Every structure is written in C-alpha cells, then in structure tokens.
Amino acid sequence: MSQPSGLYIQLFSVHGLIRGVSPELGRDADTGGQVQYVLELARALAERPEVAQVDLVTRLISDKALSKDYARVIEPLSDKARIVRIQCGGRRYIRKELLWPHLDEFVDKNLKFIKSSGRVPDIFHGHYADGGYVARELASIFGSPFIFTGHSMGRHKKDKLLQEGATSEEINRRYHIDYRIEVEERVIRATEQIITSTTHEIEQQYGLYRNFEAGRYAVIPPGVDVDVFYPYYNCQLDPDVADEASKQARMLLLNELHRFWVSPQKPFILALCRPDQRKNISGLITAYGENKNLQAIANLAIFAGIRKNISEMEENERNVLTEMLLLMDRYDLYGKLAIPKKHDFSLEVPELYRLCADSHGVFVNPALLEPFGLTLIEAAAAGLPIIATKEGGPSDIIGNCENGTLIDPTNSDEIGEACIKILVDRELWEFYSHNGINGVREHYSWESHCARTIELIRKVQDEMPQAKSVSEPPRVSIGRRLTTVKRLLITDIDNTLVGDDDSLAQLLDILARNKDNIGWGVATGRCLERVLDALAEYGVPAPDIIISSVGTEIYYGADFTPDKGWQQHLAYQWKPEIIREELQKLEKMGIVNAQDDEDQRPFKVSYYLEDDPELLSKVHQALQARKIRYNLEFSNSQFLDILPYRASKGKAVRYLSYKWGIPLPEIMVCGDSGNDKEMLKGDTCGLVVGNYSKELESLKGLRRMYFSGEEYAAGIIDGISHYRFTEV
Ligand code: GLC
Ligand code: MG
C-alpha cells in the first residue's frame, strides 16, 4: 500500500446521530455535545498541514424514522475530512447502551474499509467508551498507537445515579454500566494518551478508576467557533459587521426581553442553561432577589431551555421551573427578571451574548458542579466578563483567561457582590472583556487544540516500539501484514502440512521467500494448545493465522491474538448447555463417548462415535427434538463435533476473506480428508494432496479443485505451481 505523506487519523464516535450539515444536536440523549465536538475536531484537524486525511467513523443508520443522511457511507466534510459510516447491529437506530455486543462487527467492517481504501491509519482516536473500545481493538490489530477522549465516564455516572437512589441492578439493566466501566478500565490502561477538557475531569472522573495511575493525561480543552462567537459590536471598529441574520436575531431577543423589563437600558446579568437542579438557577435568583443594590444596577435574564406546559414536564425540570417562578414572586422581581418562555433561542445565542456585552452586563454560571463550561467560553469569546462556579472546569477557564471571578455557588451574598464589583467598575469590566476575547482565541480555539493534539500524536508515534531502534527491523503488526498481503495459503495440519519432513522444509522456504505477498495459516480440528505442540514438534514457525478447533477459533500472529469478531459471530443462537445435556444422555445409553476435556471448547462439543449412519441419525434426532441450531461434523470415521451453525473451517476461511478483504480466488486451501471438504469447495483454489482419504473423491472434477499426484507438503508445492500462486 502506498503511504502518502501526512498523518491519516481515524476518529471513532460510534453512537448518536452524526451528520455534517445541520447536526440534530439535542434530538436525543445520545446526540449532544460530543457530536458537535467530534465534527468540529474532524474539520479542524484536517486544516492542519501535517494531516493528510481525517475519517470521523460512526455507525451507519438506515431507519425510516430518521433522515437518509445517516445511511450515507461516505459524507465529505471538507477537502481532507469525511464521515465514514459503518453498519453494525442491524440498521435501526438504537441507544448507545445497546451497542456493546455489536462493536466487534464495527471493528471488522472498519478493517475491511481500511483494506479497500488502501491505507492504514497512523493513529486511532476513540471518543467515549464505545469509541475507545473500537480504537483499542484496531490499535492492537495494526500495532498503531491510539488516543482516547472519554467525554464522560461510567463510574462517575454510576455514583451519581446511586446517590439519586437507583439500585445497582436498575442502573445495570438500563445502562450496562458495569460493562462500560470495565471497558473504560482497559482503555485507560492500554491507551497511549488520554485527552481531557479540564484538570477537574482528570481528578473527578478518571481518578475513580482502578487503572487511574496507569493512564497518561493531557488537558486540551475543545475550541469554540470564533467565527460564530465573535465580540460584541461596541468593541469593534466597524459596527456594520453585523449581518442580516444577526440583526434579526437581535430584534427578536430585544422584543422578548423588553416584555419583562421596565428599565431595559440597564446592563443585564445573563444565565443560560438547561432547567436542571444542578445548574442552580435558584441560587442566582436568590442572590439577585436578596440584593436590592444589585437590582438597582442591573436586570436579570434567565434562559432555561424551552418550556411549554410546566405541569406536564419531567419532574426535575418541573421542579426547577416552578421554583424559578415562585422565587420571582417571593422577591417581587416583576419588571426586572426576564424568563423568556416561547422560543427556541439556540440560533440566537451568539447574538444574546453580544447583546449582553453591549449592555455591559455579565454572564453567570452558578452551577453546583460544572464539568467543563462551554457556555462560559462562548460568552467570553463575545466579550462578556464571567462569574462562574468554582466547582469543576471553570477554574481552568478563569485561570487561563483571567476574565472574571470564581464564586461559591452556595453563597448567594458572594454571587451578588461579584456581580456588583464588575458591573460598577468599567475599567475592570473592560479588562475582563478583553482578556476573555483574547484568551479564548489563545486557549480555546480549535486551531490551538489541534496544534497540541498533533504534537501529542507525534510524541506518541516516536515512542512506539517499532520506531525505537533503527538497526532492528520493525515488527510488522499482524493487521498491517494481513491488509497488505495479496494472497493467503490455508492448510490443514495432519496428513497435509506435516507427514513428510523434506517437502515441509521446502514449503516453508517458499513461504518465507514470498512472505510480502502471501500470508499463510493452518485450519485444523486440533485445539490451539495441540496446534502449538504440532508446530513445535515439526519445527514450523508460527503462521499468520491459526484456525483451530474445527473453525470455531481464530488466532493471529506470534502472540496468538484471538479474533473477537469471530467469537461474537458464532455466539448467535449457540446453546451448548442443551447440546451437552442431550449428548450426556446419549453417552449413558452407550451411543457416544466424550472426548478429552481439552477438546471441549466454548464453541465445540466433541465426542467419539462409531461410523454407523443409524447412530448418527440418533444424535441428530436428539438435537432436533430440542429445536436448536447447530452444525454437526463427523470425520475420520470417529470424531463427532457439534458446532454453532455458523461455524466450520470453511466458514472461518470465508470470514477471513471478508474481514481482511482478500477475495476467495486469491486464497489457496489445502486438505486431505473429510473435515476439509467444505473449505475446499467453492471459489477458493482447492488443493487435495496425493495421500487423500476416500471422503474427498466426490470433489474430483469440480472447478478450481486440483488433485495433486504428490503427497503431503509436496502436494501443496505442486498446487502452488499449478495455480501459479507465487506469481502475484
Ligand atoms: C481433532 C480434535 C478433535 C476433533 C477432531 C475432528 O482431532 O482434537 O476434538 O473432534 O480433530 O475435527
Ligand atoms: Mg488432515
């Protein structure tokens, strides 16, 4: 594969609804801040000169209830950035907690995509636990580094839900939270670098994990779009910069606000958040209500989401909004407090900040805990001084920008006084305003975010083992190898690969000489341990692929990494308990005999059976009576294997062809006996060695089926020249 210069980055953000044009942020719980984050990140990374290509890889969804946009396989975002959609777990939209069992399918299909696009990413970047899982799998397959951005973490969420009174069982039933937490533990341990938005996140979220110490952390806050959140007009030289849309937005906002205020010329204090108890809106109204001085200086405006009929809203929201109205009444804030109801103001938000800045007001975030504080940064970009909770991320913002005051959200006096201090001191106001505008551009632009991310990626790449020593050839990862080779040779072991030492040595030599083009593997009834015994006994080096236990297990490379996608695939409708139960009954009746424990595998139940069609049909009858699906293989006149119906050596070969993008005609399959039959048939190049057993007679004359006159490995060598297999 050619490797054009420049980094190729794959970002994984698996769940939710992602599209480049008008993303449906807030449509559901899975389509929120993270979607915006990854879209902006993908575009901004692609702007960097060091970057050749950015893929934002997400789930493909084809669902009548949703836009067709989510079913497009490729959606360009810019010259060098695109969304790549990979189907997994069917096509319907499902919530993120239900995606776990389908992530291996996602990994496999992305592998295929990588193969077909002809280039292996230099780095994988997982977002959220599900994206982290995918990134980790791919990184281990390709021997590439991976980085991780958690966005939010399971342990923290679980603690919160427990505090709210939910039981562990309930939380797991709904959110599969313990599984997610275990995935996060493994990701933290394995990833080269974790990126967080705040220092607070490192301590409060990652700090809860067993593997916390094993992680490496960097605080790189996300950027805001400074083309949208630009400064207020009074501070700009040219007041005509406001476009038509901004002017309209301003009109709309003014109309709305002036319905509430008797003195609209005053500066105003602005708060903008979801109606959530933790956002502490009541704390701010109380601070304002108790401070007559503050009421004389400024109005207050609270934008707390869209409300229709409060009494029909969900409990938490209903409580927040009701309390808001009661406080307004208690402190008699009529004429001073604006709590706009009707509109969805999301499009007007940038203009709202500018309007507030033009009034020389302040932006307040009084949350009991604010993980990051994106609104604070957006408000600052527009030139608003900020007053923010000291709990959570905002201390980073004020630390970086020096553009406001931190307050204790539970202390209403402190909130009121902090507002007054800025509102009455124009010099201080200007100082904070300018610091905010400039500080955001320095610390919270996507440009600076990406510059730091690329720096980290370079560092991580330099530290990867294969780059360490120049003298030692790099150990090519199995993923890179299998996406680069053009052909595969798969051979049975007993009586095919082994049996004649001289020709075996010659064959291994041919494979070594052609290793850049031809990958090779074994496919056998033996379990992994017995495969390794055989390889050691005959002095065969580890193959690229081991298909063991009659195709129910697949392993890769020198570390024998198991193929999880295959396990996942086989698990479907596999009921080994029922099969064992039935066979035990047959054993008591003296019909079958159990094989060794070593040969009983997660996806293989093995017995001995006499070569008698009547006995065999008894086995079928017993299994069919239980109405289960299975694949029965009887071989060498004695071995009885019951496998998942999706399993066999032949199906494993087809799965490999699909997964690694190697067409079947480019795969040569070699065998000698009955249990090789199925994998020999079909579009692959079939090779039967001269010493074959009678069960294979029926394959004679089939297309792409070569019966060699030579025995054992010499037969394979003969087949290689018959198919001109080394001439790629
Ligand atoms: C190997 C395995 C055995 C299996 C047989 C046929 O001998 O050890 O468990 O039944 O192959 O597939
Ligand atoms: Mg054999």
Side-chain angles (χ1 to χ4, degrees):
M1 282 185 207
S2 66
Q3 301 281 308
S5 60
L7 285 171
Y8 175 17
I9 307 171
Q10 273 197 335
L11 311 176
F12 301 103
S13 187
V14 182
H15 65 260
L17 296 169
I18 306 185
R19 66 179 179 196
V21 182
S22 50
E24 300 184 88
L25 304 176
R27 190 186 203 280
D28 57 55
D30 290 357
T31 309
Q34 184 183 331
V35 168
Q36 181 173 355
Y37 183 111
V38 293
L39 278 167
E40 290 180 1
L41 175 63
R43 287 195 174 102
L45 278 172
E47 294 290 310
R48 302 287 309 181
E50 305 92 332
V51 172
Q53 173 71 42
V54 182
D55 293 347
L56 170 54
V57 191
T58 189
R59 182 165 173 255
L60 183 143
I61 299 150
S62 174
D63 192 321
K64 280 200 290 300
L66 295 166
S67 157
K68 286 199 174 62
D69 295 347
Y70 303 113
R72 275 175 79 183
V73 175
I74 304 280
E75 177 187 342
L77 292 174
S78 69
D79 274 5
K80 294 189 288 180
R82 62 186 173 181
I83 296 177
V84 173
R85 296 194 177 83
I86 304 272
Q87 186 246 318
C88 73
R91 297 180 150 254
R92 283 192 31 223
Y93 187 44
I94 49 180
R95 61 189 174 90
K96 60 179 175 305
E97 290 81 9
L98 302 179
L99 285 174
W100 293 112
H102 309 298
L103 294 179
D104 294 307
E105 186 186 351
F106 189 94
V107 168
D108 274 10
K109 290 187 176 155
N110 187 51
L111 257 177
K112 238 181 97 125
F113 173 79
I114 291 172
K115 168 91 187 188
S116 68
S117 65
R119 185 171 177 199
V120 177
D122 300 296
I123 185 130
F124 300 103
H125 186 174
H127 292 265
Y128 193 84
D130 49 14
Y133 179 92
V134 170
R136 176 174 177 263
E137 290 299 310
L138 287 159
S140 79
I141 291 170
F142 286 105
S144 307
F146 86 101
I147 57 182
F148 178 64
T149 304
H151 293 272
S152 79
M153 301 290 286
R155 239 180 236 290
H156 184 76
K157 175 165 183 172
K158 185 177 177 186
D159 288 353
K160 225 170 62 186
L161 292 168
L162 285 171
Q163 274 166 24
E164 286 169 11
T167 67
S168 208
E169 295 76 56
E170 282 162 4
I171 303 173
N172 272 309
R173 209 176 315 122
R174 170 131 190 93
Y175 300 110
H176 299 285
I177 203 107
D178 286 345
Y179 185 81
R180 170 178 167 192
I181 291 169
E182 272 321 300
V183 169
E184 288 166 338
E185 288 282 9
R186 273 179 272 141
V187 168
I188 294 173
R189 177 166 281 285
T191 186
E192 271 70 32
Q193 182 71 56
I194 294 162
I195 295 175
T196 71
S197 293
T198 62
T199 340
H200 180 263
E201 187 184 343
I202 303 178
E203 295 148 10
Q204 301 298 318
Q205 301 250 7
Y206 291 90
L208 304 174
Y209 284 75
R210 201 170 63 232
N211 288 324
F212 172 61
E213 299 284 341
R216 195 163 82 182
Y217 305 86
V219 180
I220 312 182
V224 300
D225 189 342
V226 289
D227 292 333
V228 175
F229 295 95
Y230 54 84
Y232 67 107
Y233 304 114
N234 284 347
C235 99
Q236 289 178 344
L237 296 176
D238 178 8
D240 288 335
V241 298
D243 56 24
E244 232 4 83
S246 307
K247 283 183 193 153
Q248 263 186 24
R250 179 166 286 231
M251 283 289 293
L252 193 95
L253 290 163
L254 284 172
N255 279 342
E256 186 66 24
L257 290 167
H258 289 182
R259 294 170 54 204
F260 293 91
W261 294 335
V262 279
S263 311
Q265 74 288 351
K266 283 185 194 174
F268 69 94
I269 301 161
L270 173 66
L272 183 116
C273 59
R274 276 178 290 115
D276 182 320
Q277 208 81 53
R278 286 179 294 255
K279 298 291 180 186
N280 192 30
I281 299 171
S282 59
L284 176 59
I285 303 182
T286 306
Y288 184 73
E290 285 176 349
N291 195 324
K292 288 280 173 211
N293 196 7
L294 182 56
Q295 290 174 36
I297 298 169
N299 292 316
L300 176 60
I302 293 182
F303 287 73
I306 312 164
R307 61 180 189 276
K308 290 192 182 86
N309 185 348
I310 294 180
S311 60
E312 283 168 12
M313 291 178 81
E314 184 239 306
E315 191 183 350
N316 178 19
E317 297 188 349
R318 189 174 64 223
N319 292 342
V320 170
L321 295 170
T322 312
E323 204 185 349
M324 192 163 99
L325 294 171
L326 291 177
L327 286 169
M328 178 168 183
D329 195 72
R330 161 146 28 121
Y331 293 111
D332 191 5
L333 298 176
Y334 299 99
K336 298 170 190 165
L337 168 58
I339 38 179
K341 167 188 166 73
K342 277 187 298 214
H343 297 282
D344 169 9
F345 287 103
S346 48
L347 288 173
E348 285 83 28
V349 165
E351 200 53 32
L352 179 59
Y353 293 138
R354 285 190 284 271
L355 190 63
C356 186
D358 273 329
S359 83
H360 291 96
V362 291
F363 182 80
V364 186
N365 177 337
L368 299 176
L369 176 69
E370 179 57 63
F372 177 59
L374 189 62
T375 51
L376 287 163
I377 294 172
E378 291 171 348
L384 266 177
I386 62 175
I387 291 170
T389 176
K390 63 180 176 49
E391 307 297 339
S395 60
D396 278 7
I397 303 174
I398 291 188
N400 283 330
C401 303
E402 210 192 334
N403 64 331
T405 321
L406 289 175
I407 44 98
D408 172 357
T410 60
N411 184 336
S412 49
D413 282 351
E414 197 179 318
I415 301 176
E417 289 314 313
C419 291
I420 293 180
K421 196 165 160 235
I422 301 174
L423 290 166
V424 299
D425 183 343
R426 185 53 75 88
E427 225 172 279
L428 183 63
W429 191 95
E430 299 279 354
F431 176 71
Y432 283 159
S433 172
H434 277 104
N435 284 355
I437 294 167
N438 296 323
V440 168
R441 276 155 183 77
E442 186 182 334
H443 299 283
Y444 300 99
S445 70
W446 281 111
E447 207 180 316
S448 62
H449 179 102
C450 291
R452 292 195 52 204
T453 303
I454 301 278
E455 220 175 88
L456 276 184
I457 292 176
R458 292 292 191 212
K459 200 167 106 212
V460 157
Q461 281 185 313
D462 285 348
E463 288 166 2
M464 286 302 283
Q466 52 261 67
K468 263 187 189 144
S469 129
V470 213
S471 53
E472 206 182 295
R475 213 188 96 204
V476 178
S477 82
I478 194 66
R480 271 177 215 276
R481 179 157 166 67
L482 291 180
T483 41
T484 342
V485 294
K486 304 205 170 48
R487 292 183 166 170
L488 268 187
L489 184 131
I490 304 283
T491 169
D492 171 48
I493 298 182
D494 295 292
N495 294 321
T496 306
L497 180 68
V498 302
D500 173 46
D501 292 349
D502 286 347
S503 56
L504 171 60
Q506 278 173 38
L507 173 65
L508 292 174
D509 185 51
I510 294 173
L511 289 172
R513 273 187 283 116
N514 290 280
K515 76 172 186 334
D516 288 347
N517 292 323
I518 303 179
W520 80 283
V522 293
T524 173
R526 290 173 179 246
C527 59
L528 180 65
E529 296 71 26
R530 291 200 215 268
V531 173
L532 301 185
D533 290 348
L535 297 179
E537 186 183 338
Y538 295 97
V540 179
D544 298 311
I545 302 169
I546 294 173
I547 301 171
S548 59
S549 300
V550 207
T552 60
E553 293 167 32
I554 300 176
Y555 299 91
Y556 298 110
D559 313 328
F560 315 114
T561 313
D563 188 317
K564 292 191 195 149
W566 184 234
Q567 307 281 295
Q568 174 81 55
H569 182 74
L570 296 189
Y572 184 66
Q573 296 193 343
W574 171 237
K575 308 231 161 60
E577 325 74 46
I578 300 184
I579 295 168
R580 289 209 182 90
E581 208 181 293
E582 286 308 313
L583 283 155
Q584 273 155 18
K585 282 190 216 156
L586 293 171
E587 187 166 29
K588 286 206 186 97
M589 293 157 68
I591 296 174
V592 296
N593 285 310
Q595 292 189 17
D596 283 356
D597 286 350
E598 205 178 11
D599 285 309
Q600 311 299 342
R601 312 291 291 189
F603 295 101
K604 169 173 170 285
V605 178
S606 293
Y607 278 75
Y608 294 105
L609 176 76
E610 239 179 82
D611 194 350
D612 174 347
E614 249 172 63
L615 294 178
L616 190 60
S617 89
K618 286 220 163 79
V619 177
H620 277 297
Q621 274 164 27
L623 294 174
Q624 279 160 10
R626 300 295 298 265
K627 298 206 177 347
I628 48 163
R629 303 186 78 171
Y630 61 90
N631 173 25
L632 183 151
E633 301 241 7
F634 185 63
S635 55
N636 295 63
S637 305
Q638 53 169 330
F639 299 120
L640 173 70
D641 300 309
I642 322 282
L643 318 170
Y645 81 98
R646 286 180 164 180
S648 70
K649 293 206 282 188
K651 293 200 179 86
V653 169
R654 272 143 191 83
Y655 171 80
L656 289 170
S657 157
Y658 170 79
K659 172 162 175 164
W660 297 100
I662 302 172
L664 289 173
E666 306 297 330
I667 302 178
M668 182 170 149
V669 182
C670 319
D672 71 296
S673 75
N675 64 4
D676 301 316
K677 199 165 172 175
E678 192 224 354
M679 79 169 175
L680 284 164
K681 287 196 293 199
D683 281 347
T684 48
C685 298
L687 178 278
V688 180
V689 289
N691 53 301
Y692 68 92
S693 50
K694 64 174 187 334
E695 306 101 53
L696 295 190
E697 203 67 47
S698 64
L699 297 180
K700 276 207 165 139
L702 289 183
R703 203 169 60 102
R704 267 201 266 268
M705 190 66 63
Y706 178 61
F707 277 72
S708 172
E710 309 284 332
E711 300 192 334
Y712 307 102
I716 303 179
I717 296 172
D718 182 27
I720 288 176
S721 69
H722 171 82
Y723 287 115
R724 300 169 184 262
F725 208 64
T726 55
E727 298 169 27
V728 191

